[in-house]
Amino acid sequence: MYVGPGDVLHLIRSGKARTRGDIQEETGMSRMTVAQRVDALLKAELIREAGTARPSGGRRPTDLAFNLQHSCTISASVETTSSRVALTDLSGAIIADEHLDIAVDDGPEKVLHAITEAGLLLLQRSSTPMAKVSGMGISIPGPVDPHTLRPSQPPIMPGWDAYPIVEFIQDTFPVPVLVENDADAMAVGEYSTGFAGVPSLCLVKVSTGIGTGLVIDGQVYQGVDGGAGDIGHVRHPAFAGLQCQCGSFGCLAAGASGGAIARKLAEMGIDASSGRDVRQQLLAGNVDTMRLTHDAGRRLGEVMATVVCLLNPAVLLIAGDLASSSLIGGIRETLYPMSLPRATRHLDVRLAALGEDAAIRGMSSLLVNQVFSPAAVNARLA
């Protein structure tokens, strides 16, 4: 079987090989062939020599490492009431970022124009040439068709359905472009920074809407049409009389999302219209907000019990604007009693760690895995 420079890079990136000797042992290639592959990667500046490795009885072998400064990525996370654009290195570390006060219901052209302008500004500020950009990724608060990378009937994104996001971005940035659901991107970000190697991770994002990201064996599970994890639109009998933004009645998001809590707070005379506003009230210690968030967590836990029994994940992360002790306390109250003991025996339920960085880091990770995949690198260095 042909082992190209891209396959060697994968061994180095995955940690399976640190030296030329490791590569020879992993692949069975001759020393001369290994040298050729490594020289090609060094010449392309995809790897660097990083000092000497463990003693081997004589001359110490030289460590090889992925060159994280080879290039950079630009990642954007689109939220319902704002967006954020960041320049990252190839590890996902944020070099510079820009916050945009723009709502998703302003429409795709206005939002995407603001994102591309912010991306250009970040390159200018950091003196980074366009040639150093390996790719651009955008996470959005709605389902994404995995085949076209276009939004697929997103309930809270009016005017975005089937919009050609990739083509719009590539008019300004002629690089590979990825579009991903926000919860999926956040799940990848959390997985890549704190849970690498965990067999299954489920992240629930509770903000203005509700969504779930799934990472199984290191890969995002999107479903056949990109609809996996869209639990916000599972029907719940407690909300049968409530109409959701998707047009249906009884959706979980209609009664347990940040948007739903914001509406209840507004009825009580508290200034709130989105999950972001609910978060501010939680941080301020508003008792009514904490009570409503706890109740929402209980309803969410009832739905998540089915998810946990079906997937039996190792980790369940709670993320988004409503991620708090109030929400996770409510989830635990109903999740454990309504799940099989076997499904929760080794389940780690906790608040997500990365906050608003999760989607940015997730998009960067997805981009790097695609742009520097064995096939892509083999084609580039053929």
Side-chain angles (χ1 to χ4, degrees), residues 67-136:
N67 181 12
L68 300 177
Q69 279 68 53
H70 170 272
S71 52
C72 61
T73 65
I74 297 175
S75 296
S77 59
V78 177
E79 299 288 346
T80 53
T81 58
S82 64
S83 291
R84 183 181 179 213
V85 186
L87 184 69
T88 72
D89 68 15
L90 298 185
S91 73
I94 296 171
I95 300 167
D97 67 335
E98 187 78 10
H99 289 261
L100 305 174
D101 243 348
I102 189 166
V104 72
D105 58 12
D106 285 336
E109 291 189 12
K110 187 172 180 180
V111 172
L112 295 175
H113 177 72
I115 286 172
T116 54
E117 288 296 303
L120 292 172
L121 179 63
L122 291 175
L123 294 182
Q124 181 182 0
R125 281 183 186 166
S126 60
S127 301
T128 304
M130 183 72 77
K132 275 284 190 179
V133 180
S134 282
M136 187 160 180

Side-chain angles (χ1 to χ4, degrees), residues 34 42 51 62 80 82 100 107 113 143 168 189 194 197 210 217 219 252 258 279 291 342 354:
V34 168
L42 287 169
T62 303
T80 53
S82 64
L100 305 174
H113 177 72
F168 186 103
I210 300 174
D217 291 333
Q219 302 295 317
L252 179 67
R279 178 163 188 78
R291 174 180 54 79
R342 183 174 59 251
L354 295 179

